[in-house]
């Protein structure tokens, strides 16, 4: 059993950019504690009157269920929906998200929201008096998935301590919200070298490149995934477009024959669900880390939520 030291989150978590390095390391430390031991009875008792609203306007498996698991493991309660069409905000009524927020203000203590478009999460926050956690919003500019980035950096830390130098090979479509949040997160760790493989030789969004340059991140574009495999410690297949049948460029697929280029300790990550870029034949590889990555989502989201619960419980 573990107790929780003073670790507080108060503001909305809409972007990974809102967190500083100390806060991220606090989340990692607490997530590690939760991974090795359950919360003690005092924590659960303190959390038992806290109510979390789970507002998933976009389908989800890992994010939604890991958040629900985290809430329950912490002793709090959860309400909400997994299908936007069950809400007047997502149906033909098109209720304004500002109205939805004002209703949730009366029903819960914290809101977790996911949407297929970028703007609704931000519109919701205009009238929300509760802390809001962005569980993924849209794709492209201003799209993010901050809790995914936090579980990603936690997973990397499990194999390669973040105070040491490492090389990350990121294969993505520039519009990927998971990839964008991870880029913003690693910008805080100046010992991470970044190799980029982007679809159809597209570059990152100009705003994202400017952010990386300002943060002093060293990055290099590659023509294909094979060029980076020998030197990469982490191979992150970020998925491509938000459609299951999207076929990425063949030179961005991590096929089984390419595993021989990886060094023995290298890990393969993916936010899932996967497409053609990550064949099922890789699942038994010693390099496979994407299932443990998904499992880590529970512990990281427990840590994030507890940071908010520490504030809510002290009101």
């Amino acid at each position: 059993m573990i107790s929780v030291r003073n670790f507080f989150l108060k503001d909305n978590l809409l972007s990974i950019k809102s967190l500083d390095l100390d806060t991220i390391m606090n989340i990692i430390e607490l997530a590690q504690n939760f991974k090795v031991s359950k919360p003690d009875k005092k924590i659960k008792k303190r959390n038992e009157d806290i109510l979390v609203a789970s507002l998933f306007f976009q389908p989800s498996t890992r994010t939604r269920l890991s958040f629900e698991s985290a809430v329950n493991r912490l002793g709090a309660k959860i309400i909400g929906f997994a299908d936007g069409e069950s809400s007047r905000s997502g149906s033909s009524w098109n209720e304004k998200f500002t109205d939805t927020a004002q209703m949730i203000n009366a029903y819960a203590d914290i809101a977790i929201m996911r949407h297929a478009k970028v703007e609704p999460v931000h519109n919701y926050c205009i009238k929300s008096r509760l802390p809001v956690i962005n569980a993924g919003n849209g794709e492209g500019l201003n799209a993010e998935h901050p809790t995914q980035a936090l579980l990603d950096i936690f997973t990397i830390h499990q194999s390669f301590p973040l105070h040491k130098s490492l090389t990350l090979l990121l294969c993505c479509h520039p519009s990927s919200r998971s990839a964008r949040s991870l880029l913003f997160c690693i910008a805080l760790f100046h010992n991470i070298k970044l190799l980029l493989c982007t679809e159809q030789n597209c570059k990152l969004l100009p705003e994202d490149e400017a952010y990386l340059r300002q943060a002093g991140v060293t990055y290099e574009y590659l023509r294909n995934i094979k060029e980076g495999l020998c030197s990469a410690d982490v191979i992150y297949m970020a998925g491509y477009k938000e459609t299951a049948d999207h076929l990425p460029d063949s030179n961005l697929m991590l096929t089984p024959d390419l595993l021989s280029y990886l060094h023995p300790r290298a890990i393969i990550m993916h936010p899932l669900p996967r497409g053609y870029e990550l064949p099922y034949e890789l699942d038994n590889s010693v390099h496979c880390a994407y299932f443990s990555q998904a499992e880590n989502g529970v512990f990281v989201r427990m840590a994030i939520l507890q940071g908010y619960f520490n504030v809510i419980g002290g009101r």
Side-chain angles (χ1 to χ4, degrees):
M1 299 291 184
I2 62 169
S3 58
V4 177
R5 62 188 179 82
N6 283 342
F7 163 57
F8 300 101
L9 287 171
K10 296 184 292 184
D11 300 324
N12 298 330
L13 180 51
L14 304 185
S15 168
I16 198 70
K17 294 177 183 178
S18 67
L19 302 180
D20 59 24
L21 183 58
D22 285 344
T23 302
I24 290 174
M25 295 310 296
N26 281 336
I27 292 170
I28 288 174
E29 179 184 346
L30 185 53
Q32 180 59 37
N33 289 340
F34 283 137
K35 186 168 184 174
V36 299
S37 184
K38 297 178 180 179
D40 63 29
K41 292 181 180 179
K42 289 183 180 179
I43 295 174
K44 290 187 174 183
K45 180 69 175 177
R46 196 165 70 232
N47 293 340
E48 65 182 8
D49 292 329
I50 296 175
L51 194 57
V52 177
S54 175
L55 313 174
F56 276 67
F57 292 91
Q58 184 183 31
S60 169
T61 301
R62 283 149 295 275
T63 304
R64 181 176 65 86
L65 291 179
S66 63
F67 262 120
E68 290 187 9
S69 177
V71 171
N72 283 294
R73 289 173 187 234
L74 290 170
K77 300 178 181 67
I78 190 163
I79 60 173
F81 49 81
D83 180 0
E85 291 308 303
S86 65
S87 164
R88 296 285 183 153
S89 302
S91 69
S92 57
W93 281 82
N94 289 321
E95 180 179 37
K96 288 185 178 295
F97 285 97
T98 49
D99 280 4
T100 305
Q102 298 210 76
M103 295 303 96
I104 301 302
N105 287 341
Y107 302 153
D109 300 295
I110 184 171
I112 302 165
M113 186 173 173
R114 180 187 184 99
H115 203 284
K117 296 180 180 179
V118 171
E119 296 81 9
V121 174
H122 297 280
N123 292 338
Y124 181 95
C125 290
I126 294 171
K127 290 293 184 178
S128 179
R129 297 194 303 269
L130 313 178
V132 178
I133 299 175
N134 178 6
N137 65 324
E139 59 180 329
L141 187 63
N142 296 324
E144 278 210 53
H145 199 345
T147 66
Q148 178 69 49
L150 290 167
L151 74 90
D152 290 341
I153 204 71
F154 175 76
T155 301
I156 292 171
H157 183 60
Q158 299 288 288
S159 295
F160 302 98
L162 293 170
H163 64 278
K164 296 183 178 180
S165 297
L166 66 94
T167 299
L168 170 66
L169 171 59
L170 177 59
C171 301
C172 67
H173 191 283
S175 69
S176 166
R177 63 191 179 198
S178 295
R180 297 185 77 246
S181 284
L182 181 59
L183 285 172
F184 303 149
C185 187
I186 66 172
L188 295 170
F189 298 89
H190 298 292
N191 52 334
I192 298 179
K193 180 181 179 182
L194 179 62
L195 303 176
L196 290 165
C197 282
T198 56
E199 192 173 31
Q200 298 172 347
N201 292 318
C202 297
K203 290 194 173 183
L204 299 177
L205 300 175
E207 294 84 352
D208 295 348
E209 283 199 323
Y211 187 86
L212 293 178
R213 286 196 299 269
Q214 186 175 6
V217 177
T218 301
Y219 65 95
E220 175 186 353
Y221 285 103
L222 306 180
R223 290 172 299 179
N224 57 64
I225 191 172
K226 186 176 178 180
E227 288 185 7
L229 291 178
C230 291
S231 58
D233 299 297
V234 179
I235 299 92
Y236 194 103
M237 309 297 293
Y240 295 91
K241 301 289 284 184
E242 284 287 320
T243 52
D245 59 350
H246 181 75
L247 186 64
D249 293 349
S250 59
N251 64 356
L252 294 179
M253 296 183 188
L254 187 56
T255 51
D257 59 292
L258 295 175
L259 293 183
S260 61
Y261 291 92
L262 274 62
H263 70 71
R265 293 187 60 234
I267 60 172
I268 301 168
M269 297 175 61
H270 194 298
L272 302 176
R274 71 177 110 186
Y276 296 101
E277 72 280 356
L278 189 68
Y280 290 91
E281 291 86 346
L282 303 185
D283 293 357
N284 294 324
S285 166
V286 296
H287 304 288
C288 169
Y290 35 91
F291 294 128
S292 58
Q293 175 188 356
E295 181 184 2
N296 286 336
V298 175
F299 312 117
V300 170
R301 289 174 174 127
M302 286 176 71
I304 294 166
L305 287 167
Q306 190 59 55
Y308 285 107
F309 291 176
N310 288 341
V311 176
I312 295 168
R315 287 175 182 169

